[in-house]
Amino acid sequence: MCGATIRISDKAIIRNSRIVASPGTNIIIKDKCIVDNVEMYLNKGSVIIGDNSILSGRKNEKLKIIVNNGMMEMADHSKLSCRRIWLRFGGCLSIGRYTNINEGSEIRCDECVEIGSYNQISYNVRIWDTNTHSILDAAERRRVTEDRFPYFGYESERPATAPVKIGDDCWIGENAAILKGTELGNGSVVGFGTFLTNKKIPDGAKVVNERPVRVVSK
């Protein structure tokens, strides 16, 4: 952590956690925060956790926060129990007040993800503003794989991205996917297993994917 700026309130509680910060990074954990069973890795960027917020991993699986060049800011009184948050390529993630993101969920941010306040985000939800991988031809992918072995899937350039914006007072159901270019208006409800990409959902709307049923035998 030599060369990193780390400010942790003496009223914060940190337990069963590991924080690794490279020179030039910035971590601020404010009053009465709880950081429990978390692994946080910063390599160029910043993380700011607001007052009275909670970061908590599962009993047998830590919440991983990985910042490889990016900025994450979480407002007061919010709770993250998700599986992983991963920022790259200068991505900016903001999470508002009194928002809850449950176990198994994941945020991938290579450009911009804005999550408002008073949101309920269920289990195993994916919020990605990125394709996560660039599409290379076979020869180039083989070259990168060989050069970077055993780090499969290495990316040197930002893949295709588009900002994700989630308003306030939204409810996102289990196993939903909110992918790049999607905007959810205030008070939106996203049903179980719903897949959204590059969609604009108006305020107060309820959205589900159609799943036709076919009877194959009696």
Side-chain angles (χ1 to χ4, degrees):
M1 296 185 184
C2 181
T5 300
I6 300 176
R7 297 199 295 272
I8 300 175
S9 168
D10 57 7
K11 297 179 181 179
I13 297 172
I14 298 179
R15 55 185 177 232
N16 304 320
S17 297
R18 183 184 187 199
I19 298 174
V20 179
S22 298
T25 56
N26 182 43
I27 300 174
I28 300 174
I29 299 176
K30 297 184 179 180
D31 285 349
K32 299 181 181 178
C33 290
I34 297 174
V35 178
D36 186 15
N37 208 29
V38 173
E39 290 184 355
M40 188 182 301
Y41 302 96
L42 276 79
N43 179 23
K44 191 177 180 183
S46 66
V47 172
I48 301 173
I49 308 299
D51 298 338
N52 294 282
S53 283
I54 300 171
L55 282 69
S56 178
R58 295 181 181 183
K59 183 177 180 180
N60 58 353
E61 182 182 21
K62 292 186 183 297
L63 160 57
K64 289 185 172 62
I65 298 175
I66 305 165
V67 180
N68 293 328
N69 185 12
M71 299 178 63
M72 171 182 169
E73 185 166 4
M74 179 178 174
D76 61 279
H77 291 89
S78 284
K79 181 181 179 183
L80 300 180
S81 300
C82 49
R83 185 175 69 89
R84 182 170 67 174
I85 295 173
W86 191 356
L87 282 68
R88 311 179 302 175
F89 303 109
C92 294
L93 166 65
S94 63
I95 300 171
R97 306 174 66 234
Y98 290 97
T99 283
N100 177 55
I101 304 178
N102 268 316
E103 295 176 1
S105 294
E106 180 182 69
I107 299 172
R108 296 286 302 267
C109 177
D110 288 350
E111 183 180 346
C112 180
V113 173
E114 297 180 26
I115 300 173
S117 299
Y118 295 92
N119 290 301
Q120 298 288 336
I121 298 175
S122 190
Y123 301 90
N124 304 316
V125 173
R126 297 292 178 266
I127 301 173
W128 296 358
D129 71 352
T130 174
N131 283 353
T132 75
H133 289 292
S134 299
I135 305 300
L136 305 177
D137 62 45
E140 179 65 8
R141 178 59 72 192
R142 286 189 177 201
R143 185 192 66 78
V144 172
T145 300
E146 291 172 1
D147 288 348
R148 294 288 176 173
F149 179 83
Y151 301 103
F152 289 93
Y154 176 83
E155 297 293 328
S156 60
E157 298 181 1
R158 188 170 76 179
T161 62
V164 169
K165 184 174 182 180
I166 297 172
D168 300 330
D169 303 292
C170 296
W171 188 289
I172 300 177
E174 187 170 352
N175 293 329
I178 312 300
L179 303 184
K180 73 181 199 301
T182 296
E183 295 183 12
L184 297 183
N186 298 328
S188 299
V189 177
V190 178
F192 178 95
T194 299
F195 178 99
L196 299 175
T197 182
N198 199 33
K199 300 295 184 184
K200 306 296 187 284
I201 307 301
D203 292 353
K206 297 178 175 65
V207 57
V208 296
N209 288 148
E210 291 187 2
R211 294 216 183 343
V213 174
R214 181 167 62 95
V215 178
V216 295
S217 65
K218 294 183 179 180

